[in-house]
Amino acid sequence: MDNKIMVPEPERMQALFREAAGSLTLGNNGHFSALRNEAMQTFSRLGYPNRRQEAWKYTDLEAALQVPYRIQLIPSEERADASKIFQCEIHNFETYLFSLLNGSYVWEHSPVSVLPDGTVVGSLRAAALQYPELFAHHYGKYADIRNGALEALNTAFAMDGIFIWVPDGVEVEKPIQMVNIVNLKENVFIQPRNLIIIGKNAKLTLVHCDDSVQHQKNFTNAVTEFIIGENSELDYYKLQNKDDDATLINNNYFHLSDYSRLTSNTLTYNGGLIRNESKVKIDGSGAEANLYGLYLMDRKQHVDNRVFVDHAKPHSVSNELYKGIIDDDASAAFYGHILVQRDAQQTNAYQNNRNITLTDRARVETNPFLEIYADDVKCSHGATVGQLDQDALFYLKSRGICDRNARMLLMYAFAAEIAGKITIPALRVRTEEMIEKRLKGELSICDQCVLHCKDQPEFRIDMSLV
Amino acid sequence: MLNIQDLHVQINGKEIIKGLHFSVNKGEVHAIMGPNGTGKSTLANVIAGKEQYEVTGGSITYKGLNLLDLAPEDRAREGIFLGFQYPVEIPGVSMTNFMRTAINEQRKYKGLPPMAAGDFLRYMKEKQQLVELQDKLSNRSVNEGFSGGEKKRNEIFQMAMLEPELAILDETDSGLDIDALKIVANGVNKLRRPDNATVVITHYQRLLDFIVPDFVHVLYEGRIVKSGGKELALELEEKGYEWIKGI
């Protein structure tokens, strides 16, 4: 069974699934193939999401799905040192670095590594064979393959991705960085599948980067399941810097146990079409989920952030803050859904989405949705879409600051609130630099070389002091 | 220095300033008094360049320049400073970065190199003392969480930093207790020089006990209806604004 080049139409994907059935293996028990078949049935029934569906009203996959892609069925054996194929630009950023290249895990000595503290990191494919009990217990248990067409498609074809297991009582000393790189001189359709398991009383800081290098059309449909054990903590950062030809769908499922803590920070700097779904199930009491996001889009880019927090148990807290700056003809959508189930008494749940549009062509759709069945709860939501504060702009200009720098200061201050939530100093500094570069249009230069540099002000604002 | 002839200003189609004449020379302190809603703040904002106001007639010249042709930032760079009646809170922008950006842009306009970081911090510290604002100022966001008195002192601090040629202080005394008023007035007095000028806009005579004006003008229904020396303020205090309506 070779990797095929084709338009990923539902019928052809079904045919491909039938043809490839023999070679689609993950682990060596029946659990995986039963799950695959079920998932394929779901996808066959639902097809791809389309804009007639409420959840996809603002994000149109149609154009991206009419492109012929190389469908990565069989993981290529990527034997390399991950640090050789990816140079992280974050200075003084000490991490354990692991990467996926075009959907396949990259390794030099072994497909599964054990860190000095006992944490296991490796290829999903290899780990499925080594840790069958963990997989039987967790794999595919959280991602919704009955209602989610893309989750189902990913599950049907999943072959590789990153597996992390932090055993009970282990606090991983350095952040683990997982980088998903797309670098092929042809259009590619990849479906990475990641499984992150954190035991009890454990702690992990995870930095998850999405990068693409070549200017080729590429479609990524990723699913990641996170299991955070009792009294454990996950500090999760998602950094997205994709080129304008990229379509990236991220389905993140977080499962929280008693007294566990999740902080997720999704930073989107660039990307043609990005959809981030974060589904948080608070299945324990005394748990806390903080979900932050920042998106800075321009040209014709589109980002859609959807956050669903399901409070199933009492005494938990969730807190969402997503902020975006939308320029040119770019568009953004935000959907925040908080569900407080009947038993989830004494829940505190907050949600806020704030947007600045810089042109009258920039579009933002924001939809907060609270669904509350318990009576003793505190919930609030807020959503704003606006321009920069004219009074603040005038105040800055009245001190001699030019319009461009005044706008820059206000936009930077707006965005920096999210950067301020980052607890890793090197990453925070880098994020602040990225925000500054992005707002000055310098990231676009690297990406598209439209020579925005001509209208750069000669005087540089020292953002480190903001 | 500043010469306003027959100025007419509208906002949202409503005329606020209706044929105003006013001029200021170097070294002078002017006070503009008048009841609420007569156009005092409008006049201040028009001089500073706020876009929402529409000048429908008349002229403003400043140092020989047609002021109405200049963008707000260029007016500031030419030496105009507005002390706001309601200073704006700007979360996330620190006072240090705000002032450093402002000073360096003004220096660039004058052809001077940017001020070095160390020099800037020393300069900032020195000026803070003038209005008795403590060190903590530098790391705080512009006006965010400042008390009313701190906001007004912060305006005078910015004035001290930028050393304007023409400062217009819009109701800088409102909401201040007597101690804060003295600090603010003291700051303004220390910044007085023969080559700069100050226009103090106020509702009450009280501030003028501390900042002694050379001229007092009464603004009523969009025009200056009476001008005089500092004694006019006392007369106004005694007779009230009802007296003006009879003029």
Side-chain angles (χ1 to χ4, degrees):
Chain A
M1 190 66 236
D2 289 331
N3 292 326
K4 287 230 168 164
I5 296 175
M6 61 181 222
V7 175
E9 293 166 331
E11 300 71 29
R12 300 183 72 168
M13 292 303 272
Q14 288 167 41
L16 184 65
F17 182 78
R18 283 192 299 271
E19 264 181 70
S23 41
L24 287 171
T25 55
L26 191 60
N28 50 13
N29 61 38
H31 171 63
F32 295 98
S33 53
L35 202 62
R36 265 189 217 289
N37 289 332
E38 188 191 349
M40 199 60 215
Q41 279 168 20
T42 301
F43 179 74
S44 305
R45 178 167 51 84
L46 298 175
Y48 287 103
N50 64 60
R51 295 191 62 187
R52 289 182 301 279
Q53 296 159 357
E54 189 63 32
W56 287 86
K57 205 167 158 187
Y58 304 112
T59 297
D60 193 351
L61 292 178
E62 203 179 317
L65 288 170
Q66 282 167 0
V67 176
Y69 294 101
R70 171 177 289 280
I71 313 276
Q72 288 285 100
L73 273 189
I74 310 302
S76 48
E77 289 274 296
E78 296 292 351
R79 298 291 284 266
D81 179 351
S83 66
K84 298 248 164 59
I85 60 163
F86 176 77
Q87 295 281 328
C88 184
E89 290 180 18
I90 307 176
H91 301 297
N92 305 318
F93 190 37
E94 282 226 11
T95 61
Y96 296 113
L97 177 69
F98 300 92
S99 70
L100 290 182
L101 180 61
N102 307 321
S104 300
Y105 186 80
V106 179
W107 56 278
E108 193 173 24
H109 304 296
S110 163
V112 178
S113 314
V114 181
L115 304 181
D117 57 26
T119 298
V120 176
V121 186
S123 146
L124 184 89
R125 192 176 164 72
L129 291 167
Q130 285 188 27
Y131 301 95
E133 299 83 13
L134 279 176
F135 272 73
H137 209 241
H138 293 297
Y139 180 85
K141 291 290 165 66
Y142 311 96
D144 182 3
I145 60 158
R146 288 191 182 83
N147 303 299
L150 291 170
E151 291 93 321
L153 185 65
N154 175 290
T155 304
F157 285 98
M159 287 300 280
D160 207 358
I162 288 185
F163 169 78
I164 299 175
W165 173 39
V166 184
D168 292 354
V170 172
E171 296 194 359
V172 185
E173 167 209 7
K174 283 192 285 190
I176 291 179
Q177 188 177 9
M178 48 193 263
V179 185
N180 181 26
I181 308 166
V182 178
N183 185 1
L184 262 191
K185 288 200 165 55
E186 58 188 328
N187 301 337
V188 63
F189 188 99
I190 61 167
Q191 305 204 72
R193 177 66 174 238
N194 309 305
L195 180 61
I196 317 294
I197 303 168
I198 304 171
K200 293 177 184 173
N201 307 312
K203 191 175 171 186
L204 173 66
T205 299
L206 183 61
V207 180
H208 189 175
C209 310
D210 286 309
D211 244 303
S212 52
V213 183
Q214 308 285 346
H215 288 277
Q216 291 290 334
K217 299 266 181 206
N218 58 76
F219 193 113
T220 302
N221 176 35
V223 173
T224 307
E225 292 172 295
F226 301 84
I227 298 93
I228 311 173
E230 207 178 298
N231 197 33
S232 287
E233 187 170 340
L234 171 64
D235 208 0
Y236 175 70
Y237 299 94
K238 186 105 184 91
L239 273 55
Q240 300 174 321
N241 193 19
K242 303 282 284 186
D243 58 57
D244 281 12
D245 294 315
T247 301
L248 171 63
I249 316 283
N250 256 302
N251 285 292
N252 285 348
Y253 285 83
F254 299 95
H255 189 264
L256 275 67
S257 317
D258 287 341
Y259 304 103
S260 61
R261 294 169 303 281
L262 162 70
T263 299
S264 159
N265 203 329
T266 304
L267 304 158
T268 308
Y269 304 118
N270 234 324
L273 188 156
I274 292 181
R275 172 146 162 145
N276 294 309
E277 296 233 21
S278 296
K279 293 179 182 169
V280 181
K281 171 111 183 185
I282 299 187
D283 202 18
S285 57
E288 182 183 325
N290 297 302
L291 297 136
Y292 306 122
L294 175 69
Y295 40 98
L296 310 170
M297 314 310 278
D298 68 4
R299 299 188 299 273
K300 291 185 182 304
Q301 302 178 346
H302 176 76
V303 66
D304 185 351
N305 281 292
R306 296 177 67 85
V307 183
F308 174 52
V309 181
D310 177 359
H311 282 271
K313 296 279 164 67
H315 304 289
S316 290
V317 177
S318 69
N319 184 22
E320 282 166 49
L321 177 63
Y322 274 70
K323 292 177 108 176
I325 300 177
I326 316 300
D327 201 354
D328 301 336
D329 296 282
S331 54
F334 175 83
Y335 173 79
H337 182 177
I338 296 173
L339 167 64
V340 182
Q341 298 196 27
R342 201 190 313 178
D343 294 335
Q345 296 294 357
Q346 304 205 329
T347 288
N348 288 345
Y350 307 102
Q351 183 192 93
N352 201 346
N353 174 231
R354 294 179 58 200
N355 298 278
I356 291 179
T357 51
L358 298 179
T359 67
D360 52 12
R361 295 158 352 252
R363 286 269 165 275
V364 176
E365 301 292 341
T366 174
N367 287 291
F369 180 38
L370 302 183
E371 192 183 357
I372 300 168
Y373 299 103
D375 48 19
D376 182 15
V377 299
K378 274 187 205 154
C379 293
S380 73
H381 66 82
T384 57
V385 181
Q387 286 84 43
L388 290 173
D389 179 349
Q390 293 300 312
D391 289 335
L393 263 182
F394 178 62
Y395 191 78
L396 296 172
K397 288 199 260 183
S398 79
R399 301 304 184 236
I401 298 173
C402 70
D403 186 68
R404 192 186 157 89
N405 279 345
R407 285 173 187 280
M408 203 73 82
L409 276 171
L410 292 182
M411 287 192 288
Y412 186 82
F414 176 83
E417 184 183 359
I418 300 295
K421 309 276 187 195
I422 298 174
T423 54
I424 307 167
L427 183 61
R428 189 177 61 242
V429 169
R430 177 63 180 163
T431 301
E432 287 164 352
E433 281 170 19
M434 290 285 274
I435 293 170
E436 186 188 349
K437 275 195 178 182
R438 185 66 179 81
L439 294 177
K440 284 183 173 176
E442 288 172 8
L443 281 186
S444 308
I445 294 170
C446 308
D447 186 43
Q448 298 277 296
C449 197
V450 286
L451 294 176
H452 279 256
C453 42
K454 276 186 186 153
D455 47 38
Q456 293 304 309
E458 285 168 43
F459 169 67
R460 189 177 174 278
I461 298 174
D462 185 353
M463 290 299 187
S464 66
L465 292 168
V466 168
Chain B
M1 179 181 248
L2 180 75
N3 190 4
I4 301 179
Q5 291 294 325
D6 195 29
L7 185 70
H8 290 259
V9 179
Q10 288 187 355
I11 185 161
N12 301 327
K14 186 171 181 256
E15 189 166 53
I16 309 285
I17 305 257
K18 306 164 181 172
L20 180 139
H21 297 264
F22 178 54
S23 57
V24 178
N25 297 309
K26 277 183 186 177
E28 294 175 349
V29 174
H30 291 249
I32 295 178
M33 302 184 69
N36 287 329
T38 56
K40 300 192 299 293
S41 285
T42 300
L43 177 63
N45 280 299
V46 166
I47 295 171
K50 190 158 187 176
E51 285 95 348
Q52 286 88 333
Y53 295 92
E54 190 191 350
V55 175
T56 53
S59 66
I60 306 179
T61 53
Y62 167 73
K63 299 198 300 188
L65 300 163
N66 179 359
L67 193 70
L68 299 174
D69 282 349
L70 298 181
E73 58 269 32
D74 286 332
R75 299 184 194 197
R77 293 159 179 180
E78 286 291 345
I80 288 178
F81 177 89
L82 172 62
F84 283 70
Q85 182 178 5
Y86 302 109
V88 185
E89 296 196 9
I90 312 181
V93 177
S94 75
M95 276 305 298
T96 308
N97 203 32
F98 168 45
M99 275 292 101
R100 197 165 165 212
T101 307
I103 284 205
N104 283 337
E105 284 209 36
Q106 295 215 10
R107 286 176 67 90
K108 189 182 157 198
Y109 185 78
K110 297 181 178 92
L112 298 168
M115 202 183 262
D119 293 343
F120 174 79
L121 291 173
R122 267 191 299 281
Y123 182 63
M124 189 158 159
K125 204 162 229 172
E126 176 197 325
K127 299 295 181 184
Q128 264 170 260
Q129 283 162 1
L130 188 74
V131 285
E132 299 175 34
L133 272 172
Q134 300 314 311
D135 288 348
K136 60 185 177 185
L137 179 79
S138 49
N139 293 322
R140 290 172 69 181
S141 291
V142 176
N143 292 319
E144 193 188 28
F146 284 32
S147 69
E150 280 178 320
K151 281 182 183 166
K152 296 303 175 75
R153 280 192 276 161
N154 191 16
E155 294 296 292
I156 305 304
F157 161 70
Q158 292 170 44
M159 175 179 159
M161 292 289 286
L162 298 169
E163 300 184 317
E165 290 170 65
L166 174 64
I168 298 152
L169 305 176
D170 187 8
E171 307 241 0
T172 297
D173 53 333
S174 66
L176 292 187
D177 61 29
I178 194 74
D179 292 333
L181 189 69
K182 280 181 186 168
I183 293 170
V184 164
N186 183 41
V188 173
N189 288 331
K190 281 190 179 160
L191 296 169
R192 267 182 90 161
R193 291 199 317 242
D195 61 343
N196 66 19
T198 309
V199 176
V200 179
I201 292 173
T202 181
H203 189 76
Y204 303 104
Q205 192 272 333
R206 189 177 69 150
L207 178 66
L208 306 181
D209 289 341
F210 302 99
I211 302 173
V212 181
D214 302 306
F215 303 96
V216 174
H217 311 272
V218 181
L219 185 61
Y220 183 66
E221 292 195 336
R223 276 178 304 172
I224 287 178
V225 294
K226 196 167 178 59
S227 296
K230 61 187 174 203
E231 65 288 343
L232 178 59
L234 294 170
E235 195 177 355
L236 206 57
E237 181 83 350
E238 192 184 318
K239 297 181 178 170
Y241 286 118
E242 285 304 309
W243 170 59
I244 289 300
K245 292 176 188 170
I247 291 174

